[in-house]
Amino acid sequence: MIYPPTYPPHKTEHAEEQVYQILKTLDADRYDVFYDRRFAQMRPGERKDYQVDFLIADLGGGRFNALLVLEVKGGIVKYNGQQNCWTQNGHVIKGDDDPITQALGNMHNLVKHYPEISRRVPFEWAVCFPDPRNMFSRKQIPPSLTQLQLIESFALGTIGRQLPMLFEQARNAHPGLKGTDLGTYQVFKESLLAGLGMAVPLHTRFAAEERRLIRLTEAQMQLLDLVRDNNNLQVTGPAGCGKTVMATTIAREARQQGLKVLMLTFNRIPAANIRAGFGLTGEEKDIVVDNYHHFAHMQVEKANPGWWVDHVYDEEFWSLESAAKLDDVLKEQEPYYDVLIIDEGQDFRELWYESLEHALKPGGRYFVFMDEDQDIFDAFTCLPGSRQFTRFRLPHNCRNTVRIIERLEDYIGKDIPYLDGTPEGEPVRFYTYRNDIDQARIVKDEWLRMVREEGISPAQIVILLNTQLAQSCLSGTKSFGKYPIAMISKDTGQTSADHVNVATIRNFKGLEADVVFILDTDKMEKEDKRVLYTQASRARLWLGVFCKE
């Protein structure tokens, strides 16, 4: 298939049109051809802006096997070996416009532009001189240009024979690059179509990228093996590395083995989601999934009815007093659980960990999942000293696109590895505003554009505030168009397709959305990039950050 499907009527390059009409006849099941693709710099070392005449993708065998950069020169083109220069219709072609420099340079620029592709797919280049007056022998071309890379008028007419040999040459030159799947190619193709004016709706790109993010890593599989040999594990890793997925997997396997499981989170919403995933009713005897304070409340209430209500307004109730009371209550009970799993462990205080020791049978298994860079409440100090924890790290981010991961790295000043094939994604958008009115107007316009023009469901979009709604820039805004503004439920975390979904990071911690806007950064309680890191990591596929001028 060739894109665009008809030659643009405003173009006047006869040579390029001639090549276009020939390439249009290629086997559409094996090759995709893209004409007149323009690029702007995205990576260090890449040219600021450049244009490629033709890109040809080899899709034989249902794989993205290789990519060819083809540059076209019309008229009579000759190479002068003595002066080491090219001429076109008798005029010297200067500098970067000579055909080899242009083709080779554009290929190297594309390698930088698409690192997630070029790490697995070999890139090749060639030049085409379609004027039939051009006849070259081996002595009339520079050594850097092979006969396969030169496509004259006769070769152009039979290019279907030459292309397989060109692509084979590319694969032989890079034996370690085996190509990639068509799902990865589809995202690459859509980025090219958008540049050709054939825009692909954002919701379509999201669907393709989401499929590529759902997979287990080798490290996650190693963790499951490690669990079988260790009773005490501290599992760390960056946002999006799959900690909650692995925690729930371990809980499920332990339950299937007949063990009694207690799994606790910091926020109530992740706990509710995990319960829903397990299909729990709350009446089960072999598993409890809860957030720490609700579990503590239930245990204390059974032992000392009314105590919780009497003390809940004390200054240090949530950080210390409730944990001390739970510690006292559990000491008086027989340990019940065989396995204790803590998710969001960076938000648990030392006394919380110590209090839970009494719920675990002697020889019980203790697993803690955490990301120290998300310790935005300055809660974590250490794990129980009575246990020797084996530390294991899940290194790869599996949730976010490359562009979002790069932003996360900037916030915490650390490299975050990601898997080959992770979608590049949309660039992170930064919006500047002068005041609250300005900020509210911009986010409203962008939110409505995404819903109306890009086909994104409101349920896919979450607006994260850095203050309570009443103090935020949206305090005077009731709706975006026909969609009323509503805070996400603190109990379920469910988003609605009928509302503008708003949350704070305290309530949305441990959750995620396809699209996230971060607002009111000038109203943050403290300037802590860990907060922005935690907020930004909630965005799976698209992120917008608002910054005051």
Side-chain angles (χ1 to χ4, degrees), residues 2-270:
I2 194 165
Y3 304 94
T6 58
Y7 190 76
H10 66 279
K11 301 287 287 185
T12 58
E13 289 82 358
H14 174 71
E16 292 180 9
E17 183 177 7
Q18 184 180 351
V19 175
Y20 175 96
Q21 299 302 341
I22 295 293
L23 295 181
K24 190 175 182 179
T25 66
L26 289 174
D27 182 354
D29 292 329
R30 174 157 188 183
Y31 301 112
D32 271 351
V33 181
F34 304 88
Y35 171 58
D36 192 27
R37 180 62 170 93
R38 298 180 182 277
F39 298 86
Q41 182 185 36
M42 287 173 42
R43 303 281 178 176
E46 185 182 2
R47 191 171 175 176
K48 186 175 181 181
D49 56 77
Y50 52 102
Q51 179 264 347
V52 178
D53 291 337
F54 291 93
L55 286 171
I56 305 175
D58 177 11
L59 307 176
R63 296 272 296 172
F64 182 15
N65 303 303
L67 184 72
L68 177 69
V69 176
L70 181 63
E71 294 298 328
V72 177
K73 290 291 183 187
I76 301 175
V77 182
K78 293 183 179 180
Y79 175 69
N80 186 320
Q82 292 182 340
Q83 298 182 17
N84 189 26
C85 70
W86 290 87
T87 63
Q88 184 179 30
N89 297 327
H91 300 286
V92 174
I93 302 175
K94 297 181 180 180
D96 292 343
D97 288 332
D98 94 57
I100 292 180
T101 301
Q102 195 170 25
L104 184 60
N106 282 343
M107 185 192 74
H108 287 315
N109 282 318
L110 288 173
V111 166
K112 295 182 177 69
H113 195 89
Y114 291 106
E116 74 286 0
I117 299 295
S118 59
R119 282 195 294 264
R120 289 174 292 164
V121 176
F123 284 37
E124 185 58 277
W125 61 273
V127 294
C128 180
F129 308 138
D131 193 304
R133 293 172 291 178
N134 292 311
M135 299 291 289
F136 294 88
S137 69
R138 290 184 180 273
K139 295 181 180 180
Q140 293 173 308
I141 62 175
S144 58
L145 181 65
T146 69
Q147 286 290 336
L148 280 178
Q149 290 171 305
L150 173 60
I151 302 173
E152 301 171 278
S153 176
F154 175 78
L156 180 62
T158 59
I159 194 170
R161 299 177 187 175
Q162 191 161 334
L163 278 180
M165 293 186 286
L166 258 174
F167 284 125
E168 183 66 22
Q169 176 174 286
R171 288 189 290 271
N172 291 338
H174 304 280
L177 304 183
K178 304 298 185 182
T180 188
D181 59 276
L182 292 184
T184 302
Y185 171 71
Q186 184 64 28
V187 177
F188 168 73
K189 175 181 177 179
E190 287 166 355
S191 72
L192 293 174
L193 293 182
L196 289 168
M198 302 173 66
V200 178
L202 200 57
H203 75 275
T204 302
R205 302 204 293 276
F206 281 0
E209 291 172 353
E210 188 169 8
R211 289 193 295 270
R212 293 167 59 198
L213 286 172
I214 301 173
R215 51 191 164 157
L216 282 179
T217 70
E218 184 178 347
Q220 289 170 344
M221 300 303 294
Q222 291 173 352
L223 174 59
L224 294 179
D225 291 335
L226 195 64
V227 165
R228 300 181 182 100
D229 301 322
N230 292 270
N231 280 348
N232 304 305
L233 271 177
Q234 179 190 14
V235 181
T236 65
C241 69
K243 293 184 293 294
T244 299
V245 171
M246 300 312 297
T248 55
T249 299
I250 292 169
R252 182 178 291 107
E253 289 193 356
R255 191 184 183 198
Q256 290 171 349
Q257 296 166 10
L259 303 176
K260 295 182 175 65
V261 179
L262 173 61
M263 182 175 181
L264 297 178
T265 66
F266 173 73
N267 270 2
R268 69 177 79 173
I269 296 176

Side-chain angles (χ1 to χ4, degrees), residues 338-508:
D338 301 295
V339 179
L340 172 59
I341 301 172
I342 306 295
D343 197 17
E344 303 177 290
Q346 73 281 345
D347 297 324
F348 280 57
R349 299 179 183 275
E350 182 179 0
L351 184 54
W352 300 11
Y353 283 111
E354 297 292 349
S355 67
L356 294 170
E357 282 276 357
H358 308 300
L360 195 58
K361 294 178 182 178
R365 315 182 75 184
Y366 205 140
F367 304 119
V368 179
F369 292 79
M370 62 189 302
D371 176 8
E372 297 96 326
D373 291 311
Q374 292 190 63
D375 181 17
I376 61 178
F377 307 128
D378 295 319
F380 182 76
T381 52
C382 63
L383 296 176
S386 59
R387 292 178 178 268
Q388 186 67 37
F389 282 86
T390 299
R391 189 179 174 99
F392 182 85
R393 185 164 181 82
L394 291 169
H396 296 98
N397 180 300
C398 310
R399 175 200 296 151
N400 310 105
T401 63
V402 173
R403 296 298 185 81
I404 294 174
I405 293 171
E406 290 171 345
R407 174 50 41 185
L408 301 182
E409 291 175 328
D410 288 342
Y411 283 142
I412 60 173
K414 298 178 183 178
D415 290 335
I416 301 177
Y418 52 85
L419 299 173
D420 284 345
T422 297
E424 186 80 6
E426 297 290 306
V428 175
R429 294 288 302 275
F430 293 93
Y431 304 90
T432 58
Y433 58 92
R434 298 182 298 276
N435 50 47
D436 282 357
I437 295 174
D438 193 32
Q439 184 177 195
R441 176 188 57 79
I442 296 171
V443 72
K444 177 180 178 180
D445 290 345
E446 281 294 278
W447 191 97
L448 288 171
R449 181 189 64 80
M450 297 189 92
V451 171
R452 293 171 177 173
E453 298 177 18
E454 300 285 4
I456 306 299
S457 168
Q460 295 176 266
I461 308 174
V462 169
I463 295 176
L464 288 180
L465 305 176
N466 276 286
T467 184
Q468 295 302 311
L469 180 59
Q471 286 78 49
S472 77
C473 69
L474 299 180
S475 61
T477 307
K478 301 302 181 185
S479 65
F480 291 177
K482 67 177 183 179
Y483 300 94
I485 294 174
M487 294 293 294
I488 292 172
S489 168
K490 295 180 180 180
D491 296 315
T492 67
Q494 294 298 308
T495 57
S496 167
D498 300 320
H499 294 91
V500 178
N501 299 283
V502 179
T504 65
I505 191 57
R506 178 176 287 274
N507 295 329
F508 204 65

